[in-house]
PDB file of all heavy atoms in Angstrom:
ATOM      1  N   CYS A 255       0.041  -2.398   2.492  1.00 98.00           N
ATOM      2  CA  CYS A 255      -0.391  -3.714   1.843  1.00 98.00           C
ATOM      3  C   CYS A 255      -1.041  -3.462   0.461  1.00 98.00           C
ATOM      4  O   CYS A 255      -1.228  -4.389  -0.302  1.00 98.00           O
ATOM      5  CB  CYS A 255      -1.409  -4.452   2.730  1.00 98.00           C
ATOM      6  SG  CYS A 255      -3.072  -3.806   2.681  1.00 98.00           S
ATOM      7  N   GLY A 256      -1.462  -2.257   0.144  1.00 98.00           N
ATOM      8  CA  GLY A 256      -2.024  -1.931  -1.171  1.00 98.00           C
ATOM      9  C   GLY A 256      -3.458  -2.320  -1.419  1.00 98.00           C
ATOM     10  O   GLY A 256      -4.043  -1.960  -2.408  1.00 98.00           O
ATOM     11  N   GLN A 259      -6.610   0.441  -2.019  1.00 97.00           N
ATOM     12  CA  GLN A 259      -6.480   1.505  -2.944  1.00 97.00           C
ATOM     13  C   GLN A 259      -7.810   1.830  -3.691  1.00 97.00           C
ATOM     14  O   GLN A 259      -8.589   0.932  -4.041  1.00 97.00           O
ATOM     15  CB  GLN A 259      -5.411   1.149  -4.028  1.00 97.00           C
ATOM     16  CG  GLN A 259      -4.059   1.177  -3.491  1.00 97.00           C
ATOM     17  CD  GLN A 259      -3.118   0.762  -4.556  1.00 97.00           C
ATOM     18  OE1 GLN A 259      -2.758   1.577  -5.399  1.00 97.00           O
ATOM     19  NE2 GLN A 259      -2.655  -0.420  -4.503  1.00 97.00           N
TER      20      GLN A 259
ATOM     21  N   THR B 285       3.466  -8.651 -11.436  1.00 97.00           N
ATOM     22  CA  THR B 285       3.563  -7.941 -10.143  1.00 97.00           C
ATOM     23  C   THR B 285       4.601  -8.594  -9.286  1.00 97.00           C
ATOM     24  O   THR B 285       5.274  -7.921  -8.460  1.00 97.00           O
ATOM     25  CB  THR B 285       2.206  -8.001  -9.416  1.00 97.00           C
ATOM     26  OG1 THR B 285       1.784  -9.354  -9.300  1.00 97.00           O
ATOM     27  CG2 THR B 285       1.150  -7.207 -10.128  1.00 97.00           C
ATOM     28  N   CYS B 288       8.011  -7.320 -10.781  1.00 98.00           N
ATOM     29  CA  CYS B 288       8.185  -5.838 -10.723  1.00 98.00           C
ATOM     30  C   CYS B 288       8.935  -5.475  -9.478  1.00 98.00           C
ATOM     31  O   CYS B 288       8.594  -5.883  -8.339  1.00 98.00           O
ATOM     32  CB  CYS B 288       6.782  -5.130 -10.752  1.00 98.00           C
ATOM     33  SG  CYS B 288       6.961  -3.372 -10.637  1.00 98.00           S
ATOM     34  N   THR B 290       8.885  -2.705  -7.933  1.00 98.00           N
ATOM     35  CA  THR B 290       8.210  -1.710  -7.024  1.00 98.00           C
ATOM     36  C   THR B 290       6.834  -2.193  -6.519  1.00 98.00           C
ATOM     37  O   THR B 290       6.334  -1.636  -5.572  1.00 98.00           O
ATOM     38  CB  THR B 290       8.020  -0.352  -7.710  1.00 98.00           C
ATOM     39  OG1 THR B 290       7.055  -0.521  -8.809  1.00 98.00           O
ATOM     40  CG2 THR B 290       9.281   0.212  -8.237  1.00 98.00           C
ATOM     41  N   CYS B 291       6.260  -3.254  -7.148  1.00 98.00           N
ATOM     42  CA  CYS B 291       4.980  -3.761  -6.628  1.00 98.00           C
ATOM     43  C   CYS B 291       5.128  -4.191  -5.174  1.00 98.00           C
ATOM     44  O   CYS B 291       6.043  -4.955  -4.862  1.00 98.00           O
ATOM     45  CB  CYS B 291       4.495  -4.885  -7.510  1.00 98.00           C
ATOM     46  SG  CYS B 291       3.483  -4.352  -8.877  1.00 98.00           S
ATOM     47  N   PHE B 292       4.307  -3.659  -4.266  1.00 98.00           N
ATOM     48  CA  PHE B 292       4.555  -3.851  -2.833  1.00 98.00           C
ATOM     49  C   PHE B 292       3.399  -4.510  -2.182  1.00 98.00           C
ATOM     50  O   PHE B 292       3.419  -4.679  -0.912  1.00 98.00           O
ATOM     51  CB  PHE B 292       4.812  -2.495  -2.179  1.00 98.00           C
ATOM     52  CG  PHE B 292       3.692  -1.530  -2.393  1.00 98.00           C
ATOM     53  CD1 PHE B 292       2.577  -1.522  -1.507  1.00 98.00           C
ATOM     54  CD2 PHE B 292       3.715  -0.536  -3.382  1.00 98.00           C
ATOM     55  CE1 PHE B 292       1.565  -0.624  -1.706  1.00 98.00           C
ATOM     56  CE2 PHE B 292       2.664   0.333  -3.567  1.00 98.00           C
ATOM     57  CZ  PHE B 292       1.534   0.303  -2.716  1.00 98.00           C
ATOM     58  N   CYS B 293       2.364  -4.925  -2.868  1.00 98.00           N
ATOM     59  CA  CYS B 293       1.184  -5.470  -2.231  1.00 98.00           C
ATOM     60  C   CYS B 293       1.468  -6.685  -1.426  1.00 98.00           C
ATOM     61  O   CYS B 293       2.285  -7.501  -1.814  1.00 98.00           O
ATOM     62  CB  CYS B 293       0.088  -5.772  -3.245  1.00 98.00           C
ATOM     63  SG  CYS B 293      -0.796  -4.234  -3.706  1.00 98.00           S
ATOM     64  N   ASP B 314       1.505 -10.250  -2.355  1.00 98.00           N
ATOM     65  CA  ASP B 314       0.191 -10.428  -2.931  1.00 98.00           C
ATOM     66  C   ASP B 314       0.118  -9.653  -4.279  1.00 98.00           C
ATOM     67  O   ASP B 314       1.064  -8.907  -4.619  1.00 98.00           O
ATOM     68  CB  ASP B 314      -0.886  -9.986  -2.005  1.00 98.00           C
ATOM     69  CG  ASP B 314      -2.248 -10.559  -2.307  1.00 98.00           C
ATOM     70  OD1 ASP B 314      -2.346 -11.404  -3.189  1.00 98.00           O
ATOM     71  OD2 ASP B 314      -3.241 -10.116  -1.656  1.00 98.00           O
ATOM     72  N   SER B 315      -0.945  -9.823  -5.003  1.00 98.00           N
ATOM     73  CA  SER B 315      -1.047  -9.140  -6.275  1.00 98.00           C
ATOM     74  C   SER B 315      -2.447  -8.671  -6.554  1.00 98.00           C
ATOM     75  O   SER B 315      -3.429  -9.368  -6.186  1.00 98.00           O
ATOM     76  CB  SER B 315      -0.631 -10.156  -7.384  1.00 98.00           C
ATOM     77  OG  SER B 315      -0.975  -9.565  -8.639  1.00 98.00           O
ATOM     78  N   CYS B 316      -2.574  -7.522  -7.221  1.00 98.00           N
ATOM     79  CA  CYS B 316      -3.894  -7.021  -7.505  1.00 98.00           C
ATOM     80  C   CYS B 316      -4.564  -7.806  -8.632  1.00 98.00           C
ATOM     81  O   CYS B 316      -5.681  -7.530  -9.013  1.00 98.00           O
ATOM     82  CB  CYS B 316      -3.817  -5.542  -7.911  1.00 98.00           C
ATOM     83  SG  CYS B 316      -2.761  -5.134  -9.267  1.00 98.00           S
ATOM     84  N   PHE B 317      -3.824  -8.789  -9.166  1.00 97.00           N
ATOM     85  CA  PHE B 317      -4.493  -9.617 -10.181  1.00 97.00           C
ATOM     86  C   PHE B 317      -5.318 -10.767  -9.544  1.00 97.00           C
ATOM     87  O   PHE B 317      -5.975 -11.545 -10.228  1.00 97.00           O
ATOM     88  CB  PHE B 317      -3.436 -10.256 -11.133  1.00 97.00           C
ATOM     89  CG  PHE B 317      -3.003  -9.215 -12.184  1.00 97.00           C
ATOM     90  CD1 PHE B 317      -1.882  -8.458 -12.026  1.00 97.00           C
ATOM     91  CD2 PHE B 317      -3.824  -8.972 -13.269  1.00 97.00           C
ATOM     92  CE1 PHE B 317      -1.525  -7.509 -12.899  1.00 97.00           C
ATOM     93  CE2 PHE B 317      -3.478  -8.066 -14.233  1.00 97.00           C
ATOM     94  CZ  PHE B 317      -2.337  -7.357 -14.072  1.00 97.00           C
ATOM     95  N   HIS B 321      -7.718  -9.898  -3.569  1.00 96.00           N
ATOM     96  CA  HIS B 321      -7.131  -8.570  -3.341  1.00 96.00           C
ATOM     97  C   HIS B 321      -8.173  -7.523  -3.011  1.00 96.00           C
ATOM     98  O   HIS B 321      -8.015  -6.674  -2.160  1.00 96.00           O
ATOM     99  CB  HIS B 321      -6.255  -8.160  -4.505  1.00 96.00           C
ATOM    100  CG  HIS B 321      -5.417  -6.907  -4.284  1.00 96.00           C
ATOM    101  ND1 HIS B 321      -5.884  -5.648  -4.397  1.00 96.00           N
ATOM    102  CD2 HIS B 321      -4.102  -6.832  -3.963  1.00 96.00           C
ATOM    103  CE1 HIS B 321      -4.907  -4.813  -4.172  1.00 96.00           C
ATOM    104  NE2 HIS B 321      -3.820  -5.481  -3.852  1.00 96.00           N
ATOM    105  N   ARG B 330     -13.125  -5.946  -7.897  1.00 96.00           N
ATOM    106  CA  ARG B 330     -12.645  -5.992  -9.262  1.00 96.00           C
ATOM    107  C   ARG B 330     -12.828  -7.424  -9.798  1.00 96.00           C
ATOM    108  O   ARG B 330     -11.927  -8.234  -9.812  1.00 96.00           O
ATOM    109  CB  ARG B 330     -11.117  -5.610  -9.288  1.00 96.00           C
ATOM    110  CG  ARG B 330     -10.922  -4.217  -8.886  1.00 96.00           C
ATOM    111  CD  ARG B 330      -9.483  -3.739  -9.011  1.00 96.00           C
ATOM    112  NE  ARG B 330      -9.317  -2.616  -8.084  1.00 96.00           N
ATOM    113  CZ  ARG B 330      -8.633  -2.696  -6.973  1.00 96.00           C
ATOM    114  NH1 ARG B 330      -8.002  -3.793  -6.631  1.00 96.00           N
ATOM    115  NH2 ARG B 330      -8.568  -1.610  -6.198  1.00 96.00           N
ATOM    116  N   GLN B 339      -6.331  -1.723 -12.915  1.00 97.00           N
ATOM    117  CA  GLN B 339      -5.752  -1.391 -11.589  1.00 97.00           C
ATOM    118  C   GLN B 339      -4.227  -1.431 -11.654  1.00 97.00           C
ATOM    119  O   GLN B 339      -3.579  -0.479 -11.174  1.00 97.00           O
ATOM    120  CB  GLN B 339      -6.232  -2.358 -10.519  1.00 97.00           C
ATOM    121  CG  GLN B 339      -5.503  -2.297  -9.199  1.00 97.00           C
ATOM    122  CD  GLN B 339      -5.567  -0.952  -8.495  1.00 97.00           C
ATOM    123  OE1 GLN B 339      -6.484  -0.173  -8.733  1.00 97.00           O
ATOM    124  NE2 GLN B 339      -4.560  -0.630  -7.681  1.00 97.00           N
ATOM    125  N   TRP B 340      -3.687  -2.464 -12.272  1.00 98.00           N
ATOM    126  CA  TRP B 340      -2.247  -2.610 -12.351  1.00 98.00           C
ATOM    127  C   TRP B 340      -1.570  -1.443 -13.064  1.00 98.00           C
ATOM    128  O   TRP B 340      -0.741  -0.739 -12.539  1.00 98.00           O
ATOM    129  CB  TRP B 340      -1.888  -3.963 -13.005  1.00 98.00           C
ATOM    130  CG  TRP B 340      -0.430  -4.148 -13.110  1.00 98.00           C
ATOM    131  CD1 TRP B 340       0.495  -4.413 -12.093  1.00 98.00           C
ATOM    132  CD2 TRP B 340       0.347  -4.068 -14.285  1.00 98.00           C
ATOM    133  NE1 TRP B 340       1.751  -4.483 -12.635  1.00 98.00           N
ATOM    134  CE2 TRP B 340       1.717  -4.259 -13.908  1.00 98.00           C
ATOM    135  CE3 TRP B 340       0.100  -3.816 -15.677  1.00 98.00           C
ATOM    136  CZ2 TRP B 340       2.772  -4.241 -14.887  1.00 98.00           C
ATOM    137  CZ3 TRP B 340       1.102  -3.744 -16.569  1.00 98.00           C
ATOM    138  CH2 TRP B 340       2.397  -4.023 -16.182  1.00 98.00           C
ATOM    139  N   ILE B 341      -2.006  -1.234 -14.318  1.00 97.00           N
ATOM    140  CA  ILE B 341      -1.255  -0.233 -15.141  1.00 97.00           C
ATOM    141  C   ILE B 341      -1.584   1.208 -14.666  1.00 97.00           C
ATOM    142  O   ILE B 341      -0.699   2.021 -14.670  1.00 97.00           O
ATOM    143  CB  ILE B 341      -1.615  -0.466 -16.673  1.00 97.00           C
ATOM    144  CG1 ILE B 341      -0.573   0.373 -17.496  1.00 97.00           C
ATOM    145  CG2 ILE B 341      -2.998  -0.078 -17.003  1.00 97.00           C
ATOM    146  CD1 ILE B 341      -0.654   0.001 -19.016  1.00 97.00           C
ATOM    147  N   HIS B 343      -2.222   2.009 -11.642  1.00 98.00           N
ATOM    148  CA  HIS B 343      -1.479   2.241 -10.367  1.00 98.00           C
ATOM    149  C   HIS B 343       0.004   2.544 -10.720  1.00 98.00           C
ATOM    150  O   HIS B 343       0.517   3.560 -10.249  1.00 98.00           O
ATOM    151  CB  HIS B 343      -1.559   1.063  -9.404  1.00 98.00           C
ATOM    152  CG  HIS B 343      -0.928   1.325  -8.109  1.00 98.00           C
ATOM    153  ND1 HIS B 343      -0.302   0.374  -7.330  1.00 98.00           N
ATOM    154  CD2 HIS B 343      -0.811   2.530  -7.417  1.00 98.00           C
ATOM    155  CE1 HIS B 343       0.165   0.970  -6.234  1.00 98.00           C
ATOM    156  NE2 HIS B 343      -0.149   2.200  -6.258  1.00 98.00           N
ATOM    157  N   LYS B 344       0.615   1.673 -11.542  1.00 97.00           N
ATOM    158  CA  LYS B 344       2.021   1.897 -11.849  1.00 97.00           C
ATOM    159  C   LYS B 344       2.300   3.253 -12.399  1.00 97.00           C
ATOM    160  O   LYS B 344       3.239   3.968 -12.043  1.00 97.00           O
ATOM    161  CB  LYS B 344       2.460   0.836 -12.871  1.00 97.00           C
ATOM    162  CG  LYS B 344       2.367  -0.583 -12.416  1.00 97.00           C
ATOM    163  CD  LYS B 344       3.646  -1.093 -11.813  1.00 97.00           C
ATOM    164  CE  LYS B 344       3.830  -0.707 -10.445  1.00 97.00           C
ATOM    165  NZ  LYS B 344       4.740  -1.466  -9.633  1.00 97.00           N
ATOM    166  N   TRP B 348       0.158   6.178  -8.883  1.00 98.00           N
ATOM    167  CA  TRP B 348       1.376   6.215  -8.032  1.00 98.00           C
ATOM    168  C   TRP B 348       1.849   7.690  -7.882  1.00 98.00           C
ATOM    169  O   TRP B 348       2.328   7.998  -6.775  1.00 98.00           O
ATOM    170  CB  TRP B 348       2.500   5.435  -8.698  1.00 98.00           C
ATOM    171  CG  TRP B 348       3.425   4.719  -7.749  1.00 98.00           C
ATOM    172  CD1 TRP B 348       4.344   5.301  -6.969  1.00 98.00           C
ATOM    173  CD2 TRP B 348       3.560   3.314  -7.565  1.00 98.00           C
ATOM    174  NE1 TRP B 348       5.062   4.388  -6.242  1.00 98.00           N
ATOM    175  CE2 TRP B 348       4.577   3.160  -6.606  1.00 98.00           C
ATOM    176  CE3 TRP B 348       2.928   2.186  -8.084  1.00 98.00           C
ATOM    177  CZ2 TRP B 348       5.009   1.884  -6.137  1.00 98.00           C
ATOM    178  CZ3 TRP B 348       3.307   0.972  -7.600  1.00 98.00           C
ATOM    179  CH2 TRP B 348       4.316   0.791  -6.671  1.00 98.00           C
TER     180      TRP B 348
HETATM  181  S1  SF4 C 403       0.216  -2.739  -9.457  1.00 70.81           S
HETATM  182 FE1  SF4 C 403      -1.112  -4.081  -8.260  1.00 70.81          FE
HETATM  183  S2  SF4 C 403       0.269  -5.481  -7.140  1.00 70.81           S
HETATM  184 FE2  SF4 C 403       1.506  -3.751  -7.918  1.00 70.81          FE
HETATM  185  S3  SF4 C 403       1.567  -2.321  -6.218  1.00 70.81           S
HETATM  186 FE3  SF4 C 403      -0.142  -1.653  -7.533  1.00 70.81          FE
HETATM  187  S4  SF4 C 403      -1.976  -2.729  -6.669  1.00 70.81           S
HETATM  188 FE4  SF4 C 403      -0.153  -3.669  -5.816  1.00 70.81          FE
END
Side-chain angles (χ1 to χ4, degrees):
Chain A
C255 80
Q259 289 179 78
Chain B
T285 55
C288 179
T290 67
C291 271
F292 58 84
C293 280
D314 198 6
S315 168
C316 58
F317 281 97
H321 190 277
R330 295 184 203 107
Q339 167 61 23
W340 178 73
I341 194 170
H343 187 212
K344 299 266 81 159
W348 212 291

